[in-house]
Amino acid sequence: MDAFQIIGGRPLDGEVRVAGAKNAALPIMAASILADGPVRVSGVPDLLDVRTLAQLLTGLGVWVRRDGAGSLCLDNVDPTRVIADANLVQKMRASFCVLGPLLARRGRAVVPLPGGCEIGDRPIDLHLSGLAALGVEISIRRGHVIATAGRLTGATVLMSGPRGPTVTGTMNVLSAATLARGETLIVGAAVEPEVVDLGMFLNTIGARIEGLGTTLIRVQGVEQLGGGQHTIIPDRIEAATLLMAAAITGGSVTVRGARADHMTEVLSALSAMGVEIKTVGERITANARVRPRSISLVADPYPRVPTDVQSQFTALTSVALGRSRIADRVFPERFAHVAELCRLGARIRRSRDGAIVEGVSGLIGASVTATDLRASAALVLAGLAAAGTTTVRHVYHLDRGYQGLEKKMTQLGAKIERVTLVPSDEARSAALANK
């Protein structure tokens, strides 16, 4: 089992480039099922999730190849395949985005209920009701969604629920609606940059979509979509994580290739904590030579602070001056990282709607276990700030969403190494963690 060993207490300094956005790349890869010609997508990060989806698409008759320039080439070679591999779908939730494209392009889909990180309840009812509104017949049997459709028909579809708009649901319906007969109105659509990027890709290959980036998306269905080229937007979550690495270690880090306009609330929150933020073009610099201040922060749908950086902010506030309050309205149960941060000396207690963090002057290295993708990042940040050695186990979670994070941290001056723990090391680490 891979782990990170981190010798903390070193300010990070330097410049590093952010990768393409995983959360944009995956639905765009899935949407390639819609294309009648070859598709080339640039800037796709080399991640475990990307490789998993590539395997899934291969099983669905899509030829997938990565070239040396960091691009993926995709082409439909067998449109008869409609059954998604259960083992692969259950590894990550984003693979459920093949449902809409399969139905629109091939008329049938058998897709297992999605898996992924254990971060709380993530229902798919809006996905299914949205597709049903377009004329899909759906049943659920033995943990699989079994769906059939003729030519889809445009309709008015609601994509917002009790916790706000569904991002992957909007993506599924948006993809399906491109080939539907007539007009589809997606009401209460998610406005995340990754949804916009998917829509831009679809327009590139011949879709007719208006209103991207607003809560009302209008889609005029077309007879077919062709091939084309597209470049993925930068990963705003990775960029935020790298900037917070500067903040938690008292360093100065510049992230190249980032989009400040996708991170307005994150940058505002860092500024409120006393981090000096400077943006020049596609460069964002976080300069944090003083101890950060406490903050009250709520993770909400875009354009607010995303749930995917809530864990990292919790780690950052653990060394801030004063008491911070952290809430997550998207996934209120997404606080498994709290117990692990406390092993490093953080003083955090769960509240009814989140966590209350009493900042400490320093953290102490220990053995901790990553429980999900973003919790992994939070533990790495805490380990960078902690005195002594921190071992972060189960970093396969991290590999799902960060390309070579330890290499980028090393480039910035961190002492971080990927190691393989043998079973005896695992047992010893667990015993030390439980003391």
Side-chain angles (χ1 to χ4, degrees), residues 43 53 78 174-175 177-178 183 185 230 267 283 292 297 315 372 398 402 424:
L53 185 56
D78 185 356
L174 177 61
S175 293
T178 59
E183 181 178 84
L185 293 178
H230 181 76
L267 299 181
R283 279 177 162 80
L297 182 141
D372 63 69
L398 194 84
Y402 293 91
S424 58

Side-chain angles (χ1 to χ4, degrees), residues 95-183:
S95 57
F96 199 65
C97 282
V98 301
L99 181 62
L102 282 174
L103 289 165
R105 185 73 171 80
R106 303 181 184 176
R108 188 167 185 267
V110 179
V111 182
L113 295 173
C117 292
E118 296 296 328
I119 59 174
D121 186 33
R122 298 189 285 179
I124 60 166
D125 54 329
L126 290 173
H127 295 242
L128 302 185
S129 63
L131 292 170
L134 299 179
V136 178
E137 295 183 4
I138 299 171
S139 63
I140 299 178
R141 284 179 255 164
R142 296 183 178 180
H144 289 69
V145 174
I146 301 172
T148 58
R151 175 84 188 271
L152 301 178
T153 303
T156 298
V157 180
L158 179 64
M159 282 286 102
S160 189
R163 296 179 186 171
T166 166
V167 175
T168 53
T170 298
M171 290 171 164
N172 245 331
V173 172
L174 177 61
S175 293
T178 59
L179 294 179
R181 183 184 295 109
E183 181 178 84

Side-chain angles (χ1 to χ4, degrees), residues 278-336:
K278 182 180 180 181
T279 62
V280 179
E282 292 191 345
R283 279 177 162 80
I284 306 175
T285 299
N287 187 22
R289 299 304 187 185
V290 297
R291 184 178 175 187
R293 297 190 293 265
S294 58
I295 194 173
S296 290
L297 182 141
V298 178
D300 256 330
Y302 190 82
R304 302 293 299 278
V305 173
T307 179
D308 279 353
V309 298
Q310 177 264 110
S311 304
Q312 298 92 306
F313 266 113
T314 303
L316 178 56
T317 57
S318 72
V319 297
L321 185 64
R323 173 183 292 176
S324 298
R325 297 180 182 274
I326 308 289
D328 194 327
R329 290 184 185 149
V330 180
F331 296 122
E333 296 82 31
R334 193 179 199 171
F335 284 92

Side-chain angles (χ1 to χ4, degrees), residues 11 17 20 83 119 129 131 145 167 187 198 220-221 276 309 318 333 357 361 395 403 421:
R17 174 168 287 278
I83 301 175
I119 59 174
S129 63
L131 292 170
V145 174
V167 175
V187 180
L198 170 62
Q220 297 289 344
E276 180 186 344
V309 298
S318 72
E333 296 82 31
V357 187
S361 58
V395 294
Q403 178 180 319
L421 297 180

Side-chain angles (χ1 to χ4, degrees), residues 166-408:
T166 166
V167 175
T168 53
T170 298
M171 290 171 164
N172 245 331
V173 172
L174 177 61
S175 293
T178 59
L179 294 179
R181 183 184 295 109
E183 181 178 84
T184 297
L185 293 178
I186 304 176
V187 180
V191 299
E192 274 73 3
E194 295 78 15
V195 175
V196 176
D197 206 33
L198 170 62
M200 296 295 287
F201 163 74
L202 292 170
N203 280 342
T204 295
I205 62 173
R208 297 174 59 194
I209 303 169
E210 298 177 349
L212 293 167
T214 76
T215 57
L216 179 62
I217 299 177
R218 188 183 303 270
V219 186
Q220 297 289 344
V222 298
E223 290 293 328
Q224 68 177 39
L225 299 172
Q229 300 185 33
H230 181 76
T231 299
I232 299 294
I233 59 173
D235 194 322
R236 60 194 173 106
I237 307 303
E238 184 193 40
T241 302
L242 293 167
L243 294 173
M244 279 190 265
I248 201 169
T249 63
S252 180
V253 169
T254 296
V255 178
R256 288 184 287 118
R259 289 279 300 269
D261 58 322
H262 291 171
M263 303 172 59
T264 303
E265 290 293 322
V266 169
L267 299 181
S268 294
L270 287 172
S271 295
M273 297 184 74
V275 180
E276 180 186 344
I277 299 294
K278 182 180 180 181
T279 62
V280 179
E282 292 191 345
R283 279 177 162 80
I284 306 175
T285 299
N287 187 22
R289 299 304 187 185
V290 297
R291 184 178 175 187
R293 297 190 293 265
S294 58
I295 194 173
S296 290
L297 182 141
V298 178
D300 256 330
Y302 190 82
R304 302 293 299 278
V305 173
T307 179
D308 279 353
V309 298
Q310 177 264 110
S311 304
Q312 298 92 306
F313 266 113
T314 303
L316 178 56
T317 57
S318 72
V319 297
L321 185 64
R323 173 183 292 176
S324 298
R325 297 180 182 274
I326 308 289
D328 194 327
R329 290 184 185 149
V330 180
F331 296 122
E333 296 82 31
R334 193 179 199 171
F335 284 92
H337 51 285
V338 165
E340 298 304 305
L341 289 172
C342 288
R343 295 187 191 279
L344 298 170
R347 295 176 58 195
I348 309 172
R349 60 183 174 87
R350 287 296 310 275
S351 62
R352 181 179 57 83
D353 60 348
I356 297 173
V357 187
E358 301 285 352
V360 297
S361 58
L363 301 173
I364 305 296
S367 179
V368 292
T369 302
T371 55
D372 63 69
L373 168 55
R374 304 308 175 184
S376 305
L379 296 177
V380 169
L381 292 181
L384 292 171
T389 301
T390 296
T391 300
V392 181
R393 295 173 291 155
H394 295 183
V395 294
Y396 62 85
H397 290 295
L398 194 84
D399 293 336
R400 290 185 48 226
Y402 293 91
Q403 178 180 319
L405 184 64
E406 74 275 24
K407 296 177 183 177
K408 292 183 179 180

